[in-house]
Amino acid sequence: MKDFEKMPVKEEKPNHPTITMTDGVLIPKKGNKRILSSWMMTFIGAIALLLFLIIFKADPYRKIFFFVIKGTPTTFEITIAAIIGAVIIGTLTGIGSVSNNRLITSLCGVYVELIRGIPLLVQLMFLYFALGSIIHMEGNIAAIVALSICFGAYMGEIVRAGIQAIPKGQTEAATALGLTKAQTFMHVILPQTIKIVLPAIGNEFISMLKDSSLVSVLALSDILKKGREYISRTFLSLQTMLIVALIYLIFTLVLSRLVGLMEERLHKNG
Amino acid sequence: MAKIEIKNVTKSFIDPDGKIMNAVKKTSLTVNDGEVVVIIGPSGSGKSTLLRTVNLLGAPDTGSILFDGVDITKNNADTRKLREEVGMVFQQFNLFPHLTVLDNITLAPIKVKKMKKDEAEKLAMELLNKVGLADKANSHPNQLSGGQQQRVAIARALAMKPKAMLFDEPTSALDPEMIKEVLDVMLSLAKEGMTMLLVTHEMGFAKAAADKIVFMDHGEIIEESSPEEMFSNPKSERTRDFLQHIL
Ligand SMILES: Nc1ncnc2c1ncn2[C@@H]1O[C@H](COP(=O)(O)OP(=O)(O)OP(=O)(O)O)[C@@H](O)[C@H]1O
Ligand SMILES: [Mg+2]
């Protein structure tokens, strides 16, 4: 006797099987045995190889390692600062992309398109030199700003998609209760968006750690730059790059597991 | 006091092909203080659209809406104050999934009415008792059945101490065995004298609680009468047709 007039909504099934793949690293989580075990094998393998080289092939690997590892603080300093910058820019861009103000949405849209259409290395060098010539800036600050602007665009898209994934009924319910737009956003939309976007944002963190190596072209002494310095001094290119690669790999694997743990926690809390 | 007067309201949408869709056409309806008015009608007839003009979730294009004699469609009207005074319950519950049941209920009193947290929680517990869910205060919405979620949604709306309540098909998304628990809560509200405007096809509820039933079709009110009259002696052909389908 109720709802006789409502047709059941038909789920539209695509005709072709589709896959979703990102170019990011795989995030090892408890639920996914395959990825977790390949993560474990790679991680143990990388550590074992590095230890082996340092201990049993001390010449030249130990020297290389202790020289190159000095770039770690720079790499992390730049990565962490740029992550903070990119999250802020990304959140603002994401909010701007769904705003009612046409001008703001267009601005955000153009920013995102612009950034996504230019190779990261090109942007980085352009911004670095542009920022450096307009306002005098320390090299690492310029690099951090440039990386933040580059990755802010990608995060903006993630945040926008996250906000748009929240059902309209949430905003309606909050509005009907008398909450202002700002209150609705802060207490209803944002907390739910964070949950949705965290996995994708975590992926970006890992990309940023890796892509921070691009700043080595900007005369900053990160891990890669240290490696190149060492090569120019000793011509041990293959050995040095092996150590550099192992260091990045281990950092990336640790970070991806941390992101995985964060996601596991998030799911446990409802 | 809570009197809702809908006067000559129209509301149109532009559908995806760019055509103008007149969802509600020059419609007037009055809900007096303490009255329960039920809107029925086929899908797409404009019931939700009309209901949502009352708390300005979808403000009318033309016409006016008076709440306790105050024109709330005027530019300088206090929309937020109105929304404090008019609660709304949705078909899909729309509880906030990231908050516990208790926090769902206390959010608006704390943020909008600036109530103290412990005071708001006390009020929330009273309301949860009233809807029979005191033991679920610390659950998350996804741990509740549909009927329980809807009762929480009602408690959430009541926490603002509204003078009137709007319900948009509050039981349509529920499994049959859960409909009664929600209707019982609504019935007790009606008995307490809450002013209610609702869209529902629960004719048992309409018969028991409604002072007036309104039949809408194609964006217009076709017929408006007491439940007895509407069910035993509908005036228009279209109403009769519709009632035959759902009864
Ligand atoms: N936001 C919107 N945008 C465009 N068209 C809309 C919108 N909301 C409603 N409509 C259209 O207005 C008309 C009336 O819709 P409304 O939701 O008020 O009907 P209803 O009587 O509540 O139907 P139902 O019983 O299916 O809920 C429909 O044709 C609908 O497609
Ligand atoms: Mg409807």
Side-chain angles (χ1 to χ4, degrees):
Chain A
M1 90 176 218
K2 70 182 190 71
D3 270 4
F4 73 99
E5 75 272 30
K6 281 217 178 78
M7 292 290 213
V9 181
K10 242 204 269 170
E11 287 262 328
E12 225 173 279
K13 287 225 179 82
N15 291 328
H16 312 288
T18 52
I19 55 166
T20 43
M21 277 279 163
T22 59
D23 52 359
V25 294
L26 301 171
I27 303 294
K29 277 180 287 189
K30 267 213 203 82
N32 195 330
K33 288 248 164 56
R34 190 183 63 81
I35 293 178
L36 195 58
S37 79
S38 43
W39 175 86
M40 193 61 99
M41 285 192 292
T42 319
F43 186 63
I44 291 173
I47 296 270
L49 180 58
L50 187 64
L51 286 177
F52 173 81
L53 292 174
I54 293 173
I55 295 166
F56 297 106
K57 303 265 183 203
D59 183 36
Y61 288 107
R62 190 179 298 174
K63 260 207 199 121
I64 296 176
F65 177 79
F66 284 107
F67 186 84
V68 168
I69 201 75
K70 287 197 198 105
T72 310
T74 305
T75 291
F76 274 90
E77 186 188 292
I78 289 176
T79 305
I80 291 167
I83 281 177
I84 294 168
V87 165
I88 293 169
I89 293 177
T91 307
L92 293 178
T93 309
I95 296 169
S97 305
V98 296
S99 110
N100 291 328
N101 186 323
R102 269 280 186 78
L103 182 68
I104 295 177
T105 19
S106 318
L107 272 176
C108 293
V110 169
Y111 162 57
V112 169
E113 284 310 317
L114 205 66
I115 295 295
R116 292 206 296 190
I118 302 172
L120 189 53
L121 184 56
V122 176
Q123 290 172 41
L124 208 56
M125 292 182 73
F126 176 81
L127 281 169
Y128 181 77
F129 294 122
L131 288 169
S133 68
I134 299 167
I135 19 172
H136 185 72
M137 251 192 216
E138 296 260 341
N140 55 349
I141 303 283
I144 288 165
V145 173
L147 268 182
S148 302
I149 292 175
C150 299
F151 276 90
Y154 292 93
M155 293 211 191
E157 275 299 273
I158 294 170
V159 172
R160 179 194 57 74
I163 294 174
Q164 285 176 338
I166 312 286
K168 246 180 118 187
Q170 293 290 307
T171 307
E172 288 186 350
T175 309
L177 284 166
L179 272 76
T180 61
K181 272 190 180 174
Q183 287 172 330
T184 301
F185 185 76
M186 279 306 294
H187 302 292
V188 176
I189 304 302
L190 193 60
Q192 295 185 59
T193 304
I194 290 173
K195 238 176 217 186
I196 296 179
V197 303
L198 254 178
I201 295 282
N203 255 321
E204 291 300 303
F205 291 174
I206 298 161
S207 296
M208 289 181 77
L209 174 62
K210 291 190 294 178
D211 289 346
S212 74
S213 62
L214 293 171
V215 304
S216 66
V217 301
L218 309 178
L220 294 175
S221 302
D222 73 327
I223 296 171
L224 180 56
K225 181 68 197 284
K226 279 281 171 201
R228 295 190 344 181
E229 270 175 36
Y230 199 78
I231 292 170
S232 66
R233 233 198 281 158
T234 62
F235 301 104
L236 292 170
S237 28
L238 188 62
Q239 295 87 332
T240 308
M241 286 319 289
L242 177 61
I243 294 294
V244 168
L246 280 174
I247 292 175
Y248 273 112
L249 180 60
I250 290 167
F251 285 158
T252 307
L253 288 170
V254 170
L255 186 56
S256 68
R257 181 65 192 129
L258 284 178
V259 170
L261 281 173
M262 196 167 70
E263 281 178 41
E264 279 167 23
R265 280 238 350 219
L266 207 72
H267 278 283
K268 238 184 263 157
N269 303 344
Chain B
M1 251 301 274
K3 183 178 185 182
I4 302 167
E5 293 163 89
I6 300 173
K7 290 187 168 169
N8 283 321
V9 157
T10 62
K11 174 92 184 162
S12 27
F13 297 105
I14 297 175
D15 68 11
D17 338 318
K19 270 193 305 189
I20 292 173
M21 158 93 227
N22 297 309
V24 172
K25 304 168 194 161
K26 281 228 167 254
T27 296
S28 301
L29 174 66
T30 300
V31 185
N32 288 308
D33 185 42
E35 265 186 354
V36 175
V37 174
V38 167
I39 306 172
I40 59 173
S43 182
S45 58
K47 308 179 296 290
S48 300
T49 307
L50 183 65
L51 194 73
R52 292 156 58 93
T53 59
V54 175
N55 66 349
L56 305 176
L57 263 191
D61 297 336
T62 65
S64 54
I65 293 172
L66 275 58
F67 188 73
D68 284 345
V70 178
D71 189 345
I72 54 169
T73 44
K74 277 212 194 108
N75 277 334
N76 58 357
D78 189 346
T79 310
R80 280 197 50 207
K81 178 111 195 320
L82 166 81
R83 288 178 179 148
E84 282 180 44
E85 293 181 346
V86 181
M88 182 157 188
V89 174
F90 302 85
Q91 182 174 355
Q92 299 298 339
F93 332 132
N94 297 345
L95 291 179
F96 306 131
H98 60 298
L99 300 178
T100 62
V101 164
L102 197 70
D103 292 340
N104 261 277
I105 300 174
T106 57
L107 179 68
I110 291 174
K111 297 299 168 196
V112 180
K113 289 203 153 164
K114 311 292 175 205
M115 203 183 266
K116 288 215 183 64
K117 190 162 186 253
D118 50 343
E119 207 182 319
E121 285 180 352
K122 202 171 139 239
L123 170 67
M125 286 313 298
E126 277 166 27
L127 289 167
L128 280 174
N129 260 317
K130 181 173 173 158
V131 300
L133 291 170
D135 55 328
K136 300 290 184 193
N138 295 313
S139 305
H140 276 268
N142 61 4
Q143 296 167 315
L144 305 184
S145 72
Q148 291 171 331
Q149 289 191 49
Q150 193 61 298
R151 284 186 280 154
V152 172
I154 294 173
R156 178 176 70 175
L158 291 176
M160 294 301 284
K161 304 243 167 84
K163 294 179 176 172
M165 288 277 283
L166 309 171
F167 293 82
D168 192 357
E169 305 204 38
T171 57
S172 296
L174 299 178
D175 291 337
E177 70 271 18
M178 291 169 189
I179 291 177
K180 187 174 175 299
E181 64 190 51
V182 172
L183 290 180
D184 284 347
V185 171
M186 290 164 56
L187 262 174
S188 74
L189 265 183
K191 287 219 185 81
E192 287 165 22
M194 176 65 80
T195 306
M196 290 162 72
L197 176 58
L198 31 94
V199 177
T200 182
H201 291 129
E202 291 298 332
M203 292 306 143
F205 174 84
K207 273 181 194 151
D211 296 291
K212 189 158 73 183
I213 298 190
V214 172
F215 173 67
M216 273 187 92
D217 199 8
H218 296 296
E220 289 170 308
I221 292 183
I222 307 293
E223 193 166 340
E224 188 179 325
S225 58
S226 69
E228 302 81 51
E229 205 167 308
M230 181 71 80
F231 293 130
S232 58
N233 188 19
K235 282 180 230 103
S236 97
E237 186 67 34
R238 269 196 273 174
T239 316
R240 208 168 306 148
D241 250 17
F242 178 77
L243 286 172
Q244 258 166 17
H245 272 292
I246 60 167
L247 286 178

